[in-house]
Amino acid sequence: MPTIAILSDELASQIAAGEVVERPASALKELLENAMDAGATRCTVSIEGGGITRLSVLDDGSGMSEEDALLCLQRHATSKLRSFADLERLASYGFRGEALPSIASVSRLLIRTRRADATSGVELSVEGGLTPRVRPAGCAPGTLVEVRDLFFNVPARRKFLRSSGTEAGHVTEIVESLALANPRLALTLERDGRLVRQWLRVGERRERAAQALDEELAECRGQRGPLGVEAFLTRPERARAGAGGLRFLVNGRPIRDRALAVAVAQSYGSVLERGRYPRGVVYLDLPPELVDFNVHPQKLELRFADPRAVCDALYQVLASQLGRGFALPSTLRRPTSASAAPSAPPSEPPAPSQREYSGPELPAPARESNAAEPAPARVESPRTAWSRAQLPSASTNAFSPAPESSPAPLRDVELQAAGAASRAPAGSEPEPVAPLDAAAERRDERGPGSGEHVEWAALDFVGQVQNTFLICEGPTGLFIIDQHAAAERVTFDRIRREYQARSVTSQVLLFPVEVQLGAEEAEFLEAHATEFGELGMDVRLRSAQWVSVHGVPRLLERSSPERLLRELLAETMRQGGRGFSGAVDLALATLACHSSLRAGDVVAPAEARALLRALDGVDFAGHCPHGRPIVSFTPWSELLRKVGRR
């Protein structure tokens, strides 16, 4: 007797089903994707018992004839592919021809379908993958697929399912992902006879993202080579541990990709701690030949022709726009037009400072040069024609724009001159990314010249309280600003520009300071001595565990050299495998924290106004370099209500 035997069709089907159907949500994903491929504009999903007891999808798609309905239950039977070449140009959600046979082999399946040109429909019922029973049926054009008692004949698989509430949560997540994939599809989700969620048909991705997340989002658009990016992301303070709230769709297909999530988090710079990710939706559009979806049975993973180039391009698009998108709370974004010009700064020069400013001079509102800073992309660009002959090689990155020169550092300007410095001419600053709000009007419905302009300088400084907070009056309410966090943001922006231009100046210490480090810290410092030198730190290794600090950044000459070195090491070493370059922003944030205005310092009105003007010229002005919001807002209506005047 041979030791190798061919498995029965029934057993082979159940084994194959384990790759495609993991839980009710994975079965639902396959059914909804079939409905979308059939051209459906409306789908109703109904579940009972978390989808384990019953799961149904009703669509208004093209439907099937009796012959096609029977064929769809055969393994590897599909209408999506005809040749191997079609596999390289996939434009459909399904293509394997395994979904319905796999589901039918582990459930009690019913299909009722009718084509629009047919006078009647057909109903097929299958139990455990056995021969289907066929009979005529009266139904509307489209298809109903009903799955009952999932895994009834595979108890070993059924016992691994979670509670009905948990499985229902996974079902909701799948429905939402596919709603994001197709904004023109109306989706309804019913659970145990109750309406749970409804996604109405909309015209744009931005509207669908607003439906799904229902909070303020920054909209980022850009094109890098063949890659088109359209992202809708939350503010830094809304970030959470883990990337569960971040959705990625490549060519309209929901996928999971850890590297893309890391690229999005890193594009926020220092305002997001390691391990925290924003919520939002990121759409990536690529020519089909540059991406392979034939990797995972559930089509949740993929391969890019050049994954490094895709991540780099995504980072470049987001990093160039997010800072402006979150420059201020949405309450401070004021429509501007020809009839409503932004408020001009006070005509009288500011009064001299009432104390000597111990930190670095605040940068002037005007910049040295904006030529090297690309304006955020705001127009959807068509896909670039691309072929395999143009695949990016190891030496070139086809997803990246032409190299740009490093921005020049900001000028050192005396505080008294900051108020009289002229503002940058109109159009020289990148246009801020518009926040996306579910209640906001569509951008193309607003008149010309009604874009949003962000101005901190338009606030009127009222006074300082607790030597910590700056009270400012705006047109819509009262603003309370954390003076240390605001100054830290301005200083961070200046230090980062100096670092990018490799012009951080070092102050030589009169007497070197010796510091004892651990063996791991000393080894790390020796390996990255050049990088620490570019930060303005002159540190020399004396022995296996002793180093001497001979110079510190000029901005931090009054700080403790030992404390500064230890904090820089702590920030850069905790980045793990990301390397020193991935921790530069955190190291610069440490430098900014040491050299900025502190809580408890008395701030003169001239300094407060100069700080507000300086905030207009930096990215992420609404957050300190560590991601904390720097401003609290209370609208006038709320104040009036609290005192009984409204």
Side-chain angles (χ1 to χ4, degrees):
M1 295 290 291
T3 57
I4 297 178
I6 298 176
L7 297 176
S8 66
D9 291 341
E10 181 181 357
L11 181 57
S13 296
Q14 291 185 356
I15 293 174
E19 299 179 350
V20 179
V21 185
E22 179 184 2
R23 59 192 339 144
S26 56
L28 173 63
K29 178 178 181 292
E30 301 292 344
L31 298 181
L32 279 176
E33 287 180 346
N34 282 343
M36 293 162 66
D37 284 337
T41 61
R42 185 172 60 254
C43 287
T44 300
V45 177
S46 179
I47 63 172
E48 295 177 7
I52 303 172
T53 304
R54 177 179 170 272
L55 167 68
S56 72
V57 176
L58 174 64
D59 68 69
D60 63 348
S62 58
M64 294 180 287
S65 64
E66 180 177 341
E67 181 182 6
D68 284 342
L70 288 168
L71 282 174
C72 78
L73 294 175
Q74 300 296 316
R75 191 166 300 279
H76 307 307
T78 179
S79 61
K80 318 299 171 54
L81 297 177
R82 287 293 184 270
S83 66
F84 181 79
D86 294 338
L87 195 59
E88 298 183 343
R89 299 188 300 271
L90 282 175
S92 59
Y93 289 94
F95 57 89
R96 291 175 174 268
E98 294 180 326
L100 284 173
S102 296
I103 296 171
S105 66
V106 292
S107 69
R108 296 182 173 92
L109 179 70
L110 180 142
I111 300 176
R112 188 178 297 126
T113 182
R114 174 193 158 195
R115 295 184 61 86
D117 56 359
T119 57
S120 64
V122 60
E123 181 180 287
L124 285 74
S125 56
V126 188
E127 185 170 321
L130 301 178
T131 304
R133 297 186 296 273
V134 185
R135 66 172 185 171
C139 58
T143 302
L144 168 68
V145 181
E146 186 176 79
V147 181
R148 290 184 176 272
D149 300 328
L150 189 63
F151 297 132
F152 79 97
N153 55 346
V154 192
R157 293 296 305 275
R158 183 155 184 160
K159 70 179 181 180
F160 285 100
L161 296 178
R162 304 299 181 184
S163 65
S164 60
T166 300
E167 297 298 338
H170 288 293
V171 166
T172 303
E173 183 179 356
I174 287 296
V175 177
E176 183 174 88
S177 294
L178 293 175
L180 290 168
N182 191 346
R184 292 177 176 80
L185 176 67
L187 271 167
T188 301
L189 174 61
E190 298 175 354
R191 176 181 176 185
D192 298 324
R194 297 182 297 105
L195 177 63
V196 177
R197 294 287 299 275
Q198 189 172 28
W199 293 266
L200 300 178
R201 187 183 302 113
V202 293
E204 296 180 359
R205 288 170 170 176
R206 65 187 302 273
E207 294 174 287
R208 184 66 96 192
Q211 281 183 343
L213 296 176
D214 194 25
E215 61 180 296
E216 183 189 352
L217 304 172
E219 179 181 358
C220 304
R221 298 174 186 265
Q223 188 84 24
R224 289 293 188 275
L227 176 69
V229 178
E230 194 172 358
F232 310 95
L233 300 169
T234 58
R235 303 181 68 86
E237 62 266 29
R238 302 289 294 172
R240 57 175 64 175
L246 194 57
R247 305 288 180 85
F248 291 95
L249 295 100
V250 178
N251 293 354
R253 186 190 299 275
I255 60 102
R256 294 192 299 244
D257 194 294
R258 173 70 175 173
L260 293 178
V262 171
V264 171
Q266 290 181 352
S267 67
Y268 277 75
S270 68
V271 299
L272 279 188
E273 295 182 2
R274 187 187 181 199
R276 297 187 68 81
Y277 298 84
R279 296 182 64 214
V281 189
V282 180
Y283 295 91
L284 303 178
D285 294 305
L286 273 169
E289 58 268 22
L290 295 182
V291 59
D292 182 10
F293 292 104
N294 190 24
V295 175
H296 191 278
Q298 297 180 22
K299 304 182 289 294
L300 291 174
E301 299 175 7
L302 50 73
R303 288 194 183 98
F304 294 108
D306 190 342
R308 176 66 177 272
V310 171
C311 290
D312 288 347
L314 175 62
Y315 171 85
Q316 291 166 7
V317 170
L318 298 183
S320 65
Q321 300 186 39
L322 282 173
R324 292 298 176 188
F326 296 130
L328 279 180
S330 58
T331 51
L332 205 57
R333 299 174 185 270
R334 301 185 305 151
T336 60
S337 63
S339 59
S343 301
S347 57
E348 68 277 3
S353 174
Q354 297 178 2
R355 68 174 182 87
E356 183 182 355
Y357 186 64
S358 59
E361 300 295 345
L362 294 172
R367 301 194 178 188
E368 289 282 356
S369 171
N370 291 296
E373 187 170 331
R378 303 202 31 102
V379 180
E380 293 185 58
S381 304
R383 286 188 188 172
T384 305
W386 201 255
S387 64
R388 282 200 176 275
Q390 294 171 295
L391 282 174
S393 64
S395 60
T396 60
N397 187 343
F399 295 87
S400 301
E404 298 166 348
S405 59
S406 299
L410 296 179
R411 289 192 299 262
D412 288 338
V413 179
E414 294 296 331
L415 181 63
Q416 288 80 2
S422 59
R423 300 188 60 82
S428 62
E429 292 288 340
E431 184 182 358
V433 180
L436 175 60
D437 194 325
E441 293 177 287
R442 293 174 56 183
R443 184 186 296 106
D444 55 6
E445 293 177 351
R446 296 196 291 260
S450 61
E452 291 176 340
H453 184 68
V454 178
E455 281 192 292
W456 287 85
L459 297 179
D460 294 328
F461 174 67
V462 177
Q464 183 188 30
V465 295
Q466 294 291 310
N467 289 343
T468 301
F469 301 105
L470 307 180
I471 309 300
C472 299
E473 179 182 351
T476 55
L478 198 65
F479 295 82
I480 304 175
I481 299 171
D482 183 334
Q483 64 188 40
H484 171 66
E488 189 178 356
R489 180 77 245 176
V490 173
T491 306
F492 172 80
D493 185 78
R494 176 185 175 185
I495 296 177
R496 183 169 58 178
R497 291 176 179 278
E498 290 182 352
Y499 175 79
Q500 290 170 344
R502 298 300 186 265
S503 61
V504 179
T505 56
S506 180
Q507 174 65 51
V508 178
L509 300 178
L510 184 60
F511 298 103
V513 177
E514 291 191 348
V515 181
Q516 185 178 15
L517 303 176
E520 185 179 357
E521 291 176 318
E523 182 180 352
F524 181 86
L525 184 60
E526 183 179 14
H528 298 90
T530 302
E531 289 88 344
F532 274 90
E534 292 174 346
L535 292 174
M537 295 291 297
D538 183 3
V539 185
R540 304 174 190 178
L541 192 65
R542 293 301 183 189
S543 64
Q545 294 185 346
W546 284 91
V547 298
S548 59
V549 182
H550 291 257
V552 296
R554 186 176 297 276
L555 291 173
L556 280 71
E557 57 185 344
R558 299 184 183 181
S559 301
S560 165
E562 179 178 355
R563 179 185 172 192
L564 179 60
L565 176 61
R566 292 190 184 281
E567 291 192 12
L568 281 175
L569 282 171
E571 289 286 7
T572 51
M573 291 183 67
R574 72 187 181 93
Q575 293 305 299
R578 289 175 59 185
F580 191 93
S581 61
V584 165
D585 270 2
L586 293 174
L588 297 178
T590 300
L591 297 180
C593 183
H594 277 267
S595 59
S596 297
L597 184 71
R598 295 282 183 174
D601 291 343
V602 178
V603 177
E607 291 178 297
R609 296 188 186 101
L611 179 59
L612 291 174
R613 284 190 293 273
L615 285 171
D616 274 333
V618 303
D619 294 337
F620 283 105
H623 302 79
C624 81
H626 301 95
R628 295 185 295 271
I630 72 173
V631 60
S632 174
F633 171 74
T634 303
W636 297 126
S637 58
E638 183 175 344
L639 287 176
L640 292 172
R641 181 182 57 80
K642 286 183 176 180
V643 299
R645 290 185 175 272
R646 178 174 295 182

